[in-house]
Amino acid sequence: MRKKRRSSMDKTCESAPPSDVSKSKKSRSAARISKPTVQEAAADNVFAQLLQGAGVTLRRGSTPNEITVDQVVFQRRLQQHLKKHPQYPHVIQEFIRGLESHTEDQENFRNCLLPCVPPSLDQESNSAGSYQESLIRLLLGVEMLQAPVINTLFEKLPEFMFDGANDGLNVPRIIMNQLKWLDRVINSTDLAGKLMQLVAVAPVEIQRDIITSLPEILEDSQHSDIAKELNSLLQQHTQLTVPVLDALSSLSLSSSLLAEVRGAIMSTLSAVQLEDLPVMVKFILHSISASDASEVVSDLRKKLELELCVLPSVLQASQSRLKSKGPSGSSTVPLATSSLDCISLVMDVIKSAVRFQKTISEAWLKAIESLDEPENHKVIDLLVLFILHSTNTNNSRRGAERVLRVKVRGGLIREALLQRTFRSHAQVMRSYFPSILALAQSLLRSLEPCVVPFGGHMYKHAFTTFDSYCQQEVVGSLVTHVCSGVSGEVDVALELLCELVTQRPADMARYAIFVKGILDYMDNLTPQQIRRLFYLLSSLAFGQDQHSSHIQDDIHMVLRKQLSSAVSKYKRIGIIGAVMVVSSMGCCRAKSDDCGKSQGGGLSKETYRQVTSLLELVRSCSEVSPEAAALYYDELANLLQTCQLDPLVQEWIGKSVLENFQDDFVVDLGPEIPGSFPFPAKVMYNLDEEESQGGIAINLLPLLAEDVRLKGEPWSQPESKDKKRASPLCLASFFRLLRLSEEQQHQGDLEEIDALLGCPLILLDMDVVEKAESLSRSEREFLCSLLFNTINWFREVVNAFCRQKDPEMKMKVLTRLQNITYLQTVLERSLAATPNFVPPLANFDCESAEVMAPPASTAPPRKGKKESAGRKRKARASKNSSEESSQLEERVEPEESQQDHPEKEKKEEEKEKKEEAKPAVSLASYRPFFRELDLEVLNVLRCGLLTRSLLDTELNTKVREEVQLGPAELVFLLEDLLRKLEFGLAASPAKRVPFLKGKTDRSVGFSHLQQKSSLDLATRCVELLPTLCSHLENCHNHFQAQLTENHGVVDATGLDVVKHQLMSSAYQLLLQVLLSCFSWTGFSQQEHRALLKKALGVVAVRLKEDEADLPLDQLVRHSCDYLLNFRSTLPSLGTALCLTHLLIAVSARDNSNHTAYRQEIGSLCRRLLCQEWVTASGERERGVKYNDTLQSLLSIYLAQTEDVLKAIEEIAGEGVPELMNASKDGWSKTFPTLTRQTFLVFFRGMMAELEKSVRRIPLARQSESNEDLVEKLLTWNLAVRDFHILVNLVKVFDSRPVLTACLKYGRLFLEAFLKLGMPVLDFSFKQHKEDVQSLLKTFQLSTRQLHHMCGHSKIRQDTGLTNHVPALKKSLEQFVYRVKAMLTLNHCQEAFWLGNLKNRNLKGEEILSQRSQGSGEDGEGEEEASQLPEEQSEDEEQANDCDARKNGHEEEEEITDDSD
C-alpha cells in the first residue's frame, strides 16, 4: 500500500506542469505525514538500494549519512548502476521519487544537505578524505541526475523561505551552496531561468543570497543574459543594489553591456542610500577600461555630492568625537558614525582604484584639471588630490601637487572650498593628514606668492580641526619653517603662528615649549622676524589668560642675557624682545573694564611694576651706546604706533620724553652761539621768522662737535650723572618717540611740539661746501655727518607733521621737503670730495656691517673710462641737484633769503655746469643711511598751491607767499614711493638667501613698511591713484605745451634743460609706480579682485566719467585707452618702454580679448621704434642703457605684432638698406632708432625672434589636409627668406658681435628647420615641387654663407666665434642627409649628388690653405668633386626631376666642408 500511494503521488507529480511546481509542492507538503516506517523500509527502495550499492548509507534523524568510498568512485558507481539497471531509463524517475520521498522529512532533507561522513573507525572505509560533500552535492555531480535533482531542490526551497534560520542553519542558503561550482551544468539556461523566477517571488534576504550566488552557479555563456536581468532588477528594487553589484562585478560582461549597466548605475547614483554608495562607486571604478576612463571618472565626479551626505548636527558630533579620543556620547552619534563611515568607505574605494589602476589616477587628475571655473570645484576634488598624494602610485604624488598648485595659482581652488572640506569631512581628512602636511609644507616653501597663503590655510585648518597629535605636528612643522633660514618662509610661518595664538591661545599654550625652541635660532632672524617671535612668545606667556606662564622665566632670562651682552647684535635682540614683551604685558585689557575702574587702566599693580621695571632695565642697558639708545627709542615709538597700551604705561613713557628731548637737543636762541666748533656756527632754516628773536633751535652743530671731540670715550660716564651726554645720532629717533607719544596722549594733536616744525637748526654756513676740496679729511667728514643728520631730522619732521590739516603747517612741510632736496644736492658735492666716507647710522635695527660698507660710487674714478661711466651713473642725481636748487630759489625766496644766499646758489649752479667732468656720487647708494619716510608722507602728493599772508602790525597784508609741490619734490616723493612698492609688492614671499649673500640687506630702511602687509600697501597705492594720474596728466600737458610752443622741436633754443630733465624723470617715475601697482601678483587672487576693479575704475574714470562700475573687461579697455593717450608726449625711450610695460600689465588683467591688445601694443611699439629720440640738449639718445631699452622695446614689438615674419622683413629689407645708404652718423628713415650703433641690437633681436617664431609653427603630419600643408609651406618660405636676408647682412656689418649672433641663432634656426620644416617638405614635395625647390635654393645660399662664416672664424682664430662652429657644422651636415632622406621618401634618391664645397671667407675669396685637401673625403661612394661644377646655375634649366636633382646636389655640397 505504501508503494501504491507513492506511485500515485509520483503520477501526480509527473502530470503537474512545470508552472505548477510550487503549487503541487505546497499540497504535498500540507498532506505530508511523518512516519517512522518510511526510513525503516528505505533498504527496499530503489533509491536506497542504488545509494547503498554505490557506497552511501542513509541514516535517519540527526545522524549524518555515511559514505564508504571516494566521492568520485561513488558518482561513477551510481551512474554505472543506473545505466545497467534493467528498467533504465525509467529507473531514474524511480530514483528521484525515492529521493523526494526520503526528503519529505525535514531532518532527512537537512542530512542530505549536510556533508556525509566516513564510517566509524572500526569499519572498513575506502573514502580517501576526511571531508566529504553532501549527498545532494554528490547527486548533482551525476549528469543524468542533475536536472531532476535541481527541480527537486527548487520544489523544496519554498518550504523554508519564511522559516528563518532553524537550529542555526539557513536552509535556502545551503541549497544555493549546493549549486555553486559544479563541474558541469547540463542545462544552464533552464537553471538561470529558474533562479530568476525564484528571485521574483522570494523574500529580500533570500533574493540577496540567490543574486550573490549567481556568478558561482552559472556558466560564462549565461553571464550576459543574467546581467541584463540583474540590470533591470537593479532599477526596480534599490534595496538589492549591493548584491546585484556584487554579482555583476563577478560576471564576465562585454564592454558594451558593461557600459550600459554602468550608465544605469550612474543615473541612480545621486538618489541611492548612503550605505550603498561605496559598493556602487567600487563597481563603477572597477568596470572602467582605459578608453573610457576619463569620461566615466568625469561623470562620477559630477554625481558624487559629498557636501549633501552629512548633516550639520552630524558634523558637530563627528568633530567632537575626532577631537576627544575618549568614548563619549555614543548614543548621540550613531547617525554620524554611519554616514561618515560610508564616506570614508567611498574614499577607500577611490584610493584602492587609483592605487591599482594607473588610468583611473590619470583620469581623476584630468577631470580636475579640466575644470575652469571656481564654482565647478567640489569637496571631492580636494579629497581625491589628497588621496592621489598619499598613494603615490605611478608618480601620482607629483601630479596631485602640480594640479593643486596650478588650481590655487589660478584662483580656482580657494580657501572657502578648503574650509568646507575640513568642516564637513574632518574624519576623512584625518586619515590623509600626512599628505595635507606635506602639501602645506610644499606650498609654503613655494616661490610663487599666490600659492603661499593657501599653504597657510591648510596649516591653520589642520590645527583647528584635528586632534592634539596633529596640532603638535602642525606646530612642529611651522617651527621648522621658522628655523629654515629662508626669509619669506620664516615670515609666513611666524605670521601663521601669531594668528593661531590670537585665535586659539588655549590650544597653542600646550605647544609653547616647541615655539620657545626658536630662541636658539635667533641669529638667523631679521629684526622684523624677531619682533614677531617675541610677540608670539609674549602673547603666550604674558597674554590676558597667561596659558603658558611656565615660559615666563625662560623669556626673562633670555632677555636679561641679551640686554647685558656687550655684542651689539645680541643687545639689539634684547631691546626688540623686551619692548615686544611690554606690548603684551602692558596692552589695554578689553575684558577688564570693571577691574580697570578700580585699578586705573586695567593693569594690576604687580603687572604695572613688572612693565615699568622692564622698561627701566632696557633703558639703563641701552644707555651704553647711542646706537642702542636710538634703537630703544625707535622700538618704543613702534610700540606706541602699533599697540594700544594701557593709559598708565603710556603716561609713564610720555612723562619724561618731552622734558628729556628739550634738555638734550633744544636750546634757546641768543645773540651769540657759545662754544668752539670746526666751522663758524650759523642759525639756518628758520620758518618762524616772527619768532627769530628769543625762539628755540635744534642744537645740532654743538652736539656733533662734542660727539667728535669725545670720540672713543665711553658714551655713558657714571661720574657725570648731573649732565647726561646727548648724541646727535639719537635726535631723529628721540623725536619720533616724542611725536608718537604726543599723538597718543592728545589724539593726534601736535600743538605742544609744533614749534619744532619751523624752528631753525644750529648749523654752519653752506659756503663751506664750495671749499670742500681744500678742507682736511676730518673736516670734510664732519661736514658730511652734519648734512646727514640735518636731512634725517627734516625727514622725521616731515613724517611727524604730514598729517596736519592746517594750511600753514602743510606749507611748512612742503618747505621742509624743499630743504631736503636742496641739502641732498649739497651732500652729493660733499660726498664727491670725501671718498670712502661712512655716514652715521639712521636705521638701528640692523647689523651695522650691513650698511657700513662704503658704497662703490663714493670712490673716485681711476681711469677716464670709469670716469665717464661714473658720470653716466650720476647724471640723474646731478640733474635733480641743479633743478632742486633752482626750484627752491623760485618758490621760497623769502625763507631762503634769511637762510642761504640765492646768489651763491646761482654761482654753485654755474660751477656745476662748468665742472661737469668732476666726479659726483648718487645718493641711491646711501639710502640705508637716511631715515625711513612713513607711507602717510605720500599724502603730500595731493597738495596743490598753498598760500600764506604775512601781516604787519596793523594787520595789513605785507607779503603773500606761495608754495607748491615742485618737480624736485615730486621726483623725491615718487622715488620713495617706487622703492616702497618694489620692496613691498614685488618681493617674492619665499625668496631664498643666496649662497654668497651680499653685504647689503635690501630690507634696511623699510622697518615701518615691513609691519604692513602687501595688501595694505596696495590699498594705499590705489588710494593715491587719482593723485598720481593728475600728476601724470600734468607732465603730459607740460610736454604737450612745450612741443606746441616750439612747433614740435624737442631741443628748441631757450629750453630749460634742467627742468625738462626733471619733468622727464617725474614722467617716467609715475609710469613706473603705476606699473609696480598693476603688476602686483596679489591682483590675480580672487579675494583681491574688488581692489583691482577699484584701481582700474580710478584710471577708467579719468577718460570717461561715471564708468567705474563697469565689468572688469570694459574697465581694462578704458584704462588702456586712457594710457594710450600719453604716447604722443613721451620724452625719452625709457619712458616709452615704461608705458609699454604698463599697457601689457593692465591688458593682462583681461583674459578675454588678447588679440586686440596685442595689435594695439604692437602698433605702439612700431610707432616708438619709428620715432627719433633726442635729448633736451639736442643730442640723440645713446649709450648702453639706451641700447638695452631699445632691445626690450624691439622684442616686445616682434612678440606682440600680428605677423612677426612680415615685421622682420620690413626692418631687414627696408630699414637696413636705408641705413647702408646713409652717412656714417646717419640712420634709417623708416626706423630712426636704427643706426650703425644700434644695428647689433636690431640684428640680435630679429634673429632671436625669428628663431622663436619658427619654433611655434606646428609640426606637419601626413594626415593633414593640403590647405594646411600649403599654409605651413608658405610660412616656412617667408621665414627662410627672412633668414637669408639677415644672414646676408653680415657681408656688410661684419663686426665680431654680429658674427657671434649670426652663428648662434643661425644654428638654432637650422635645428628648428630640421625638426619642424623638413617634415613639411617631405609631405609637400610631390604636389608643390617648385615651391620646395625655391625654398631649398634660398636656404642653400644661407647655409653657404654660414659655412663661409665658419671659415672666417677659423682664420681669425677667435675663440668666441669658433666655439659656435662645431655645433653649427654638425647641423649643416645633418641638413645634407635630411635632404637626401626627403628625396628618398619621395622616390627621387637617384637625384642625390655629393661634392665638395670650397672654403671661402666672408668676401667670397677661397681659403688657400685648404685648397690641397682631398676631394674624396665623403666616402659615400658618390661622384668626385671634379665632376661637380663649383657653381651649378646651369642645371636650373633641366627637367623636373633634374630640378630635384639640382636641389639635392647643391645642398649636398655642404657635407664635405664639414669633414674639412
Side-chain angles (χ1 to χ4, degrees), residues 1141-1291:
H1141 281 305
L1142 178 58
L1143 282 167
I1144 293 174
V1146 173
S1147 62
R1149 300 301 174 187
D1150 180 11
N1151 299 322
S1152 59
N1153 195 12
H1154 292 297
T1155 305
Y1157 294 120
R1158 283 171 58 90
Q1159 292 176 355
E1160 289 183 357
I1161 294 171
S1163 174
L1164 172 65
C1165 291
R1166 188 186 187 284
R1167 171 176 175 168
L1168 298 175
L1169 291 172
C1170 296
Q1171 184 173 337
E1172 185 177 354
W1173 298 99
V1174 182
T1175 63
S1177 59
E1179 299 178 355
R1180 292 178 63 89
E1181 285 193 46
R1182 63 181 62 198
V1184 177
K1185 186 175 181 181
Y1186 171 76
N1187 287 347
D1188 292 342
T1189 305
L1190 182 61
Q1191 185 167 354
S1192 300
L1193 195 63
L1194 177 65
S1195 298
I1196 295 173
Y1197 167 56
L1198 295 178
Q1200 300 285 337
T1201 188
E1202 187 176 1
D1203 190 347
V1204 61
L1205 299 178
K1206 183 179 178 182
I1208 292 174
E1209 184 176 2
E1210 182 185 16
I1211 297 174
E1214 298 179 14
V1216 177
E1218 292 173 355
L1219 175 63
M1220 290 190 290
N1221 296 329
S1223 61
K1224 182 178 180 181
D1225 296 328
W1227 53 85
S1228 167
K1229 293 181 181 179
T1230 307
F1231 295 93
T1233 50
L1234 176 58
T1235 64
R1236 295 185 185 274
Q1237 290 76 27
T1238 62
F1239 172 78
L1240 175 63
V1241 174
F1242 275 84
F1243 184 79
R1244 187 188 293 128
M1246 288 188 292
M1247 288 290 280
E1249 288 300 325
L1250 177 62
E1251 187 264 336
K1252 288 180 185 177
S1253 66
V1254 296
R1255 287 193 182 275
R1256 290 194 291 265
I1257 300 175
L1259 181 65
R1261 302 188 184 279
Q1262 194 167 7
S1263 58
E1264 280 185 308
S1265 63
N1266 187 45
E1267 291 78 5
D1268 293 338
L1269 285 175
V1270 169
E1271 183 180 352
K1272 289 177 181 177
L1273 182 62
L1274 179 60
T1275 305
W1276 274 109
N1277 212 335
L1278 294 173
V1280 168
R1281 187 171 65 188
D1282 289 349
F1283 182 70
H1284 174 60
I1285 295 173
L1286 290 172
V1287 170
N1288 275 347
L1289 293 178
V1290 181
K1291 296 179 181 179

Side-chain angles (χ1 to χ4, degrees), residues 435-480:
S435 290
I436 293 171
L437 198 63
L439 285 170
Q441 290 174 350
S442 175
L443 293 178
L444 205 68
R445 292 193 178 109
S446 174
L447 299 179
E448 301 175 85
C450 51
V451 305
V452 174
F454 195 83
H457 293 318
M458 293 178 69
Y459 272 125
K460 190 165 53 178
H461 288 302
F463 184 88
T464 56
T465 305
F466 296 150
D467 52 35
S468 58
Y469 167 76
C470 298
Q471 290 178 342
Q472 177 179 317
E473 290 297 311
V474 167
V475 174
S477 182
L478 289 174
V479 169
T480 303

Side-chain angles (χ1 to χ4, degrees), residues 542-561:
F542 304 100
Q544 184 170 346
D545 299 323
Q546 296 191 2
H547 294 286
S548 303
S549 57
H550 57 280
I551 64 171
Q552 289 182 2
D553 294 339
D554 294 332
I555 295 177
H556 277 301
M557 284 190 292
V558 170
L559 290 178
R560 288 179 179 275
K561 179 181 177 181

Side-chain angles (χ1 to χ4, degrees), residues 637-638 640-641 735-744:
N638 288 338
L640 291 173
Q641 191 174 24
F735 173 68
R736 181 175 179 82
L737 175 60
L738 169 65
R739 181 259 296 188
L740 288 168
S741 178
E742 289 294 317
E743 280 185 354
Q744 289 284 345

Side-chain angles (χ1 to χ4, degrees), residues 760-913:
L761 292 83
I762 299 178
L763 301 173
L764 51 81
D765 195 337
M766 289 301 163
D767 290 343
V768 176
V769 180
E770 295 288 336
K771 304 175 290 182
E773 295 182 355
S774 62
L775 300 177
S776 66
R777 171 78 184 183
S778 60
E779 289 175 335
R780 293 199 300 269
E781 290 186 349
F782 181 87
L783 175 61
C784 291
S785 297
L786 185 65
L787 288 171
F788 269 105
N789 282 294
T790 306
I791 291 174
N792 283 327
W793 163 255
F794 283 150
R795 290 171 76 99
E796 207 55 68
V797 165
V798 170
N799 276 341
F801 295 97
C802 64
R803 301 172 185 81
Q804 302 301 309
K805 304 298 183 184
D806 182 53
E808 186 173 349
M809 302 286 276
K810 288 184 177 181
M811 188 172 183
K812 290 181 179 180
V813 169
L814 280 179
T815 307
R816 287 305 183 210
L817 282 174
Q818 294 170 356
N819 299 151
I820 292 173
T821 54
Y822 168 70
L823 285 172
Q824 285 183 346
T825 65
V826 178
L827 179 60
E828 285 178 342
R829 295 198 295 271
S830 303
L831 289 172
T834 317
N836 300 323
F837 167 69
V838 180
L841 283 178
N843 300 283
F844 305 96
D845 58 352
C846 58
E847 280 286 351
S848 57
E850 293 176 354
V851 292
M852 291 280 286
S857 58
T858 58
R862 298 178 184 176
K863 297 181 181 179
K865 186 176 179 181
K866 287 201 171 184
E867 180 176 342
S868 64
R871 196 178 304 125
K872 291 175 185 176
R873 287 196 301 270
K874 62 100 175 180
R876 183 175 174 182
S878 61
K879 292 172 188 174
N880 293 356
S881 307
S882 55
E883 175 60 15
E884 284 160 358
S885 55
S886 65
Q887 290 290 325
L888 191 69
E889 181 183 349
E890 290 175 8
R891 282 170 281 141
V892 287
E893 282 189 6
E895 288 86 3
E896 295 299 329
S897 61
Q898 293 187 2
Q899 299 161 11
D900 298 304
H901 301 283
E903 297 81 5
K904 294 179 181 178
E905 292 176 24
K906 292 179 181 178
K907 292 179 182 178
E908 289 173 2
E909 288 182 26
E910 292 174 1
K911 279 191 175 183
E912 283 181 9
K913 294 177 182 178

Side-chain angles (χ1 to χ4, degrees), residues 1278-1439:
L1278 294 173
V1280 168
R1281 187 171 65 188
D1282 289 349
F1283 182 70
H1284 174 60
I1285 295 173
L1286 290 172
V1287 170
N1288 275 347
L1289 293 178
V1290 181
K1291 296 179 181 179
V1292 180
F1293 302 92
D1294 57 354
S1295 64
R1296 182 176 178 273
V1298 173
L1299 285 172
T1300 303
C1302 190
L1303 289 172
K1304 175 184 175 182
Y1305 292 107
R1307 175 181 62 84
L1308 295 175
F1309 183 89
L1310 184 55
E1311 290 175 353
F1313 183 80
L1314 289 173
K1315 182 179 179 181
L1316 302 171
M1318 287 305 298
V1320 178
L1321 304 189
D1322 291 343
F1323 306 136
S1324 307
F1325 183 79
K1326 292 182 178 179
Q1327 297 182 1
H1328 308 283
K1329 188 176 297 183
E1330 294 182 358
D1331 294 331
V1332 173
Q1333 175 191 354
S1334 173
L1335 187 150
L1336 285 174
K1337 186 186 300 182
T1338 305
F1339 198 49
Q1340 184 264 342
L1341 297 175
S1342 303
T1343 55
R1344 182 174 293 176
Q1345 182 64 26
L1346 288 175
H1347 170 72
H1348 294 167
M1349 281 186 244
C1350 294
H1352 172 81
S1353 303
K1354 291 182 180 179
I1355 294 174
R1356 290 294 181 92
Q1357 296 183 351
D1358 187 338
T1359 56
L1361 296 176
T1362 55
N1363 285 340
H1364 297 281
V1365 170
L1368 179 58
K1369 287 271 192 177
K1370 180 181 177 182
S1371 298
L1372 288 170
E1373 183 178 351
Q1374 289 175 344
F1375 173 63
V1376 172
Y1377 287 113
R1378 188 63 181 82
V1379 171
K1380 181 178 180 180
M1382 182 200 72
L1383 294 172
T1384 304
L1385 180 66
N1386 290 278
H1387 309 293
C1388 294
Q1389 59 268 29
E1390 70 279 357
F1392 184 75
W1393 290 358
L1394 185 67
N1396 287 332
L1397 181 66
K1398 296 180 180 179
N1399 291 289
R1400 302 178 184 274
N1401 58 19
L1402 289 180
K1403 296 181 180 179
E1405 301 170 350
E1406 186 177 350
I1407 300 175
L1408 300 178
S1409 61
Q1410 298 184 5
R1411 178 176 289 179
S1412 60
Q1413 296 190 1
S1415 60
E1417 298 173 356
D1418 48 280
E1420 294 290 331
E1422 305 291 347
E1423 296 195 13
E1424 297 294 323
S1426 59
Q1427 300 173 355
L1428 186 69
E1430 180 181 336
E1431 298 295 337
Q1432 298 162 354
S1433 58
E1434 64 270 14
D1435 292 338
E1436 295 178 7
E1437 304 296 330
Q1438 297 178 359

Side-chain angles (χ1 to χ4, degrees), residues 341-589:
D341 286 347
C342 290
I343 295 175
S344 298
L345 288 174
V346 171
M347 293 298 107
D348 290 341
V349 166
I350 296 175
K351 183 176 182 179
S352 174
V354 300
R355 173 177 290 172
F356 298 111
Q357 298 185 57
K358 180 181 179 181
T359 54
I360 293 182
S361 61
E362 293 174 348
W364 273 111
L365 283 176
K366 189 179 295 183
I368 298 173
E369 222 170 347
S370 63
L371 305 173
D372 53 4
E373 291 296 332
E375 298 78 14
N376 296 338
H377 291 76
K378 304 192 294 186
V379 168
I380 185 70
D381 299 327
L382 269 181
L383 292 175
V384 168
L385 288 177
F386 294 146
I387 289 172
L388 292 171
H389 189 275
S390 63
T391 56
N392 195 27
T393 306
N394 303 313
N395 292 323
S396 62
R397 178 171 298 170
R398 185 179 301 173
E401 184 175 337
R402 175 186 59 82
V403 170
L404 180 62
R405 191 184 297 270
V406 169
K407 293 292 183 180
V408 173
R409 186 193 307 130
L412 300 176
I413 292 183
R414 303 174 184 170
E415 196 265 339
L417 179 63
L418 183 71
Q419 184 177 1
R420 286 205 312 271
T421 309
F422 271 97
R423 184 184 301 164
S424 305
H425 306 286
Q427 183 177 349
V428 178
M429 297 278 280
R430 174 63 181 84
S431 58
Y432 305 112
F433 173 72
S435 290
I436 293 171
L437 198 63
L439 285 170
Q441 290 174 350
S442 175
L443 293 178
L444 205 68
R445 292 193 178 109
S446 174
L447 299 179
E448 301 175 85
C450 51
V451 305
V452 174
F454 195 83
H457 293 318
M458 293 178 69
Y459 272 125
K460 190 165 53 178
H461 288 302
F463 184 88
T464 56
T465 305
F466 296 150
D467 52 35
S468 58
Y469 167 76
C470 298
Q471 290 178 342
Q472 177 179 317
E473 290 297 311
V474 167
V475 174
S477 182
L478 289 174
V479 169
T480 303
H481 285 302
V482 174
C483 301
S484 67
V486 182
S487 178
E489 195 177 328
V490 175
D491 291 334
V492 177
L494 279 173
E495 198 64 37
L496 279 172
L497 286 170
C498 292
E499 191 173 348
L500 290 176
V501 166
T502 304
Q503 296 176 357
R504 310 292 288 266
D507 289 337
M508 278 296 293
R510 289 180 287 184
Y511 315 106
I513 196 70
F514 291 95
V515 181
K516 187 176 73 69
I518 305 176
L519 292 174
D520 298 331
Y521 296 86
M522 285 193 297
D523 286 357
N524 298 324
L525 300 183
T526 65
Q528 178 62 18
Q529 291 165 353
I530 290 172
R531 289 188 189 97
R532 302 303 294 165
L533 172 61
F534 275 99
Y535 168 78
L536 175 64
L537 290 169
S538 59
S539 298
L540 287 172
F542 304 100
Q544 184 170 346
D545 299 323
Q546 296 191 2
H547 294 286
S548 303
S549 57
H550 57 280
I551 64 171
Q552 289 182 2
D553 294 339
D554 294 332
I555 295 177
H556 277 301
M557 284 190 292
V558 170
L559 290 178
R560 288 179 179 275
K561 179 181 177 181
Q562 305 282 11
L563 287 170
S564 59
S565 174
V567 181
S568 60
K569 176 180 180 179
Y570 299 117
K571 186 179 289 294
R572 183 170 63 249
I573 291 175
I575 293 172
I576 294 173
V579 173
M580 294 313 297
V581 169
V582 168
S583 71
S584 293
M585 296 177 65
C587 66
C588 279
R589 310 292 182 183

